[in-house]
Amino acid sequence: MDNISRRALLSAGLGAGILISLPGPAAPSISIAEDTGLRGDPFMLGVASGEPWPDGFVLWTRLALDPLAEDGLGGMPSRSIPVAWEVGEDAAMGKVVARGLEYAHVENAHSVHVELRGLQPGREYFYRFRCGRHVSPIARTLTSPARHETPAALAMAFASCAKYEQGYFTAYARLAQDHPDLVLHLGDYIYERRGGTDVREDARGLDVLETVTLEGYRQRHAQYKSDADLQAAHAIAPWLVVWDDHEVDNNYADDVPEDRDPAEMNDTAARFLERRAAAFKAYYENMPLRASSVPAGTGMKIYRTIQWGQLANFHMMDTRQYRDAQISGGGRGRNAAGRLDKNRTITGTLQEKWLLEGFMNSTQRWDIMGQQVFFAERDRNAAASIDDVSMDSWDGYAASRRRITQGWVDANVRNAVVLTGDVHRHWANELKIDFKDPDSPVVGSELVSTSITSGGNGSGATFDPVMAWNPHLKFFNNQRGYVATRITKDSLRADFRVLDFVSRPGSPVSTKASFQINDTVPGLEPRA
């Protein structure tokens, strides 16, 4: 598997790799890591980094000899395993600037999270891990700029919705070939159940039953992490991740599961919170997150702000864990007056307060919200007398959306941009405080990424009929892919990247459309 992973990295345009570790004279060399007694390669799930800050980042790996082992523990022995790590300044690891030794514990599914400090701001680094005689692939990462600095540009890509059995993860490989400096994943990293048309089969039938246990969620993450294309995307840059629903249960809301059968409601909330806690634990174990996101009880805090110098704030949000239950079970609701209730929230009170304070305290050029579900109003019915919108999106929480939007306006946020996943389509939208008022000014922009695979190949259509009576919806496409952006102090350019197919490996990638958001000019400018 080590050779396969290395070939995958090379095919993604990474070339040679290196690894990073903590500074300190007593830190062991990676070449003399303890013998672990493992007979196979334990790095079958790859490596990753995330959470960049000016002097460091998180490094991650999870050891597995048999990723799909039924107990969810990857075929690893029931003991702690020493894992050495290194960080270097060049891809040949000619100058190692940090190294250390961690232990992968069985109670954490042999995952390793290293939080580095003491590195230089705004730098490219490389890192690797070693476990006994086995060395991981080498990967690239970056520190963020110093807080007072405004870098010339940031290449950022974002993606969402990768259903394993519905297609090949070629989009992740193409994203890696674009060589971004930062990757945002906006949810549905895994899917908790099988559904739709199977394109690639899992010989073990892993997706036959819905995942509800810790063992199952660990197994499902391992299935996805075993994919070479996903490993390549993790190896090219640091990631910022947030979940949506399928990391736990489709369309869940706080402690309310998708299955709301009244006959099962006596203890459904209690049972579901146990399931959610298992899903959250597995999510942390498999993502490059800081210790501040370690699950506590049945909850896990993932909303946080990551600064990219004075260029941008990335407000990474959680619109699942704290939301009020959806009206109409999360489907579409016609003239559902309850969605306008001023007390309804999709973020919860504390997260809303955190975000609004973040707007007030911002000095950055761009305030970018990385979140999960469609933000702009999207009315499915042309009749003015009929309001037909999704109850699972911000349309189902209209007052919550208005408070957030008014908040960035009141705070004089220089440039507000919402990034979205979930809907398996590319969209580009202009944002207003009042979507029903044609004279309401544009106050921000929304960029929506299509899925990596969910929904299958799709089609090349670039117009949805709802755009005719929702004039703030400016672009649509139904192919698979991701969004690549280039952010400078003067503009944010978004390229909507698409694949010809996902039903077999190897699709080429192209740009379907490009839009530019100019500094202090809210709204979207089409670009050639």
Side-chain angles (χ1 to χ4, degrees):
M1 179 67 183
D2 189 55
N3 288 336
I4 294 173
S5 295
R6 289 180 187 278
R7 286 199 301 271
L9 292 177
L10 288 170
S11 69
L14 299 181
I18 28 187
L19 74 86
I20 301 180
S21 59
L22 292 172
S29 166
I30 202 164
S31 63
I32 58 170
E34 295 180 37
D35 179 25
T36 61
L38 299 179
R39 296 183 178 180
D41 177 15
F43 295 110
M44 298 183 74
L45 305 183
V47 300
S49 68
E51 303 296 296
W53 50 86
D55 67 341
F57 32 68
V58 172
L59 301 180
W60 171 94
T61 194
R62 178 185 164 200
L63 307 182
L65 298 171
D66 178 9
L68 302 189
E70 290 186 4
D71 64 0
L73 295 177
M76 294 293 294
S78 296
R79 55 183 170 86
S80 298
I81 304 292
V83 181
W85 51 271
E86 289 180 336
V87 172
E89 289 188 347
D90 64 288
M93 293 301 287
K95 183 178 180 181
V96 172
V97 296
R99 58 168 52 100
L101 187 70
E102 296 285 337
Y103 279 82
H105 301 294
V106 63
E107 59 266 29
N108 296 319
H110 291 99
S111 61
V112 175
H113 294 76
V114 181
E115 293 194 25
L116 280 86
R117 296 288 187 182
L119 300 177
Q120 296 299 308
R123 296 284 187 88
E124 179 183 67
Y125 288 96
F126 300 85
Y127 64 97
R128 67 184 173 189
F129 294 88
R130 179 165 186 151
C131 186
R133 62 186 178 86
H134 301 284
V135 181
S136 77
I138 294 165
R140 169 183 179 261
T141 191
L142 292 90
T143 53
S144 62
R147 298 191 183 278
H148 65 279
E149 292 180 348
T150 303
L154 167 65
M156 180 272 291
F158 66 98
S160 68
C161 302
K163 198 165 193 179
Y164 184 87
E165 69 274 10
Q166 282 198 310
Y168 290 86
F169 288 173
T170 309
Y172 282 135
R174 301 297 177 241
L175 182 155
Q177 289 170 344
D178 285 349
H179 214 264
D181 296 322
L182 183 67
V183 177
L184 274 58
H185 199 285
L186 302 182
D188 296 344
Y189 185 94
I190 65 165
Y191 277 69
E192 85 287 10
R193 64 182 178 185
R194 199 179 202 114
T197 302
D198 289 357
V199 169
R200 57 174 174 173
E201 295 290 341
D202 171 27
R204 301 194 194 187
L206 186 59
D207 287 306
V208 172
L209 299 177
E210 184 162 352
T211 303
V212 296
T213 65
L214 177 58
E215 294 80 8
Y217 286 113
R218 284 169 166 171
Q219 206 181 19
R220 191 63 54 86
H221 276 281
Q223 179 191 36
Y224 283 58
K225 279 289 202 310
S226 297
D227 184 271
D229 290 336
L230 175 55
Q231 289 185 16
H234 273 297
I236 193 62
W239 282 40
L240 301 177
V241 300
V242 285
W243 55 46
D244 192 19
D245 52 345
H246 286 290
E247 288 86 352
V248 180
D249 178 39
N250 181 53
N251 281 2
Y252 86 91
D254 193 3
D255 60 354
V256 180
E258 179 186 28
D259 182 3
R260 305 178 190 186
D261 184 347
E264 300 291 333
M265 288 302 287
N266 289 335
D267 62 345
T268 292
R271 289 201 315 272
F272 180 70
L273 282 176
E274 291 181 5
R275 176 186 180 183
R276 196 183 79 173
F280 285 3
K281 178 170 173 56
Y283 186 83
Y284 177 80
E285 290 171 348
N286 285 278
M287 293 296 172
L289 287 163
R290 303 183 198 185
S292 56
S293 289
V294 170
T298 60
M300 178 176 162
K301 183 175 177 291
I302 64 165
Y303 66 84
R304 72 269 189 211
T305 297
I306 291 83
Q307 294 183 9
W308 203 263
Q310 287 298 302
L311 185 64
N313 284 321
F314 291 94
H315 305 286
M316 304 302 291
M317 298 173 63
D318 180 353
T319 63
R320 284 292 164 190
Q321 188 177 183
Y322 314 108
R323 65 161 63 190
D324 292 327
Q326 299 98 326
I327 298 168
S328 304
R332 284 161 58 181
R334 285 196 168 198
N335 294 337
R339 79 179 187 93
L340 304 176
D341 185 334
K342 66 179 182 179
N343 295 316
R344 280 181 64 72
T345 179
I346 195 172
T347 63
T349 302
L350 290 179
Q351 184 178 191
E352 180 179 302
K353 182 175 183 289
W354 156 82
L355 184 59
L356 295 179
E357 288 178 349
F359 293 154
M360 292 297 297
N361 295 328
S362 175
T363 59
Q364 278 65 27
R365 289 270 179 160
W366 302 89
D367 277 87
I368 299 171
M369 286 147 277
Q371 60 93 49
Q372 297 77 10
V373 294
F374 213 83
F375 193 87
E377 183 170 276
R378 187 171 46 147
D379 191 343
R380 292 292 187 178
N381 198 297
S385 61
I386 299 177
D387 195 27
D388 186 1
V389 299
S390 168
M391 295 295 104
D392 190 58
S393 72
W394 287 80
D395 276 336
Y397 305 82
S400 195
R401 176 174 60 199
R402 179 182 282 266
R403 289 193 299 271
I404 297 300
T405 309
Q406 189 67 58
W408 78 58
V409 172
D410 291 346
N412 294 315
V413 165
R414 188 178 182 111
N415 298 290
V417 180
V418 178
L419 306 183
T420 301
D422 181 59
V423 296
H424 310 168
R425 308 290 190 275
H426 279 317
W427 290 87
N429 311 319
E430 293 184 335
L431 302 177
K432 301 184 174 189
I433 293 176
D434 186 354
F435 290 99
K436 298 299 186 186
D437 179 4
D439 296 324
S440 181
V442 174
V443 297
S445 303
E446 179 180 22
L447 306 172
V448 183
S449 176
T450 188
S451 61
I452 294 293
T453 59
S454 304
N457 288 333
S459 68
T462 57
F463 183 80
D464 187 297
V466 304
M467 297 168 71
W469 56 89
N470 292 272
H472 53 280
L473 307 181
K474 300 298 183 182
F475 171 71
F476 163 87
N477 172 253
N478 183 23
Q479 290 169 277
R480 308 288 74 83
Y482 56 95
V483 180
T485 73
R486 186 176 188 274
I487 306 170
T488 70
K489 64 183 180 63
D490 297 320
S491 66
L492 185 158
R493 180 184 172 113
D495 294 331
F496 289 87
R497 305 281 276 162
V498 299
L499 273 62
D500 293 344
F501 52 83
V502 295
S503 53
R504 61 187 189 278
S507 172
V509 68
S510 60
T511 297
K512 196 70 172 185
S514 298
F515 289 87
Q516 184 165 299
I517 306 167
N518 294 312
D519 180 35
T520 71
V521 184
L524 300 163
E525 176 186 340
R527 302 293 291 179

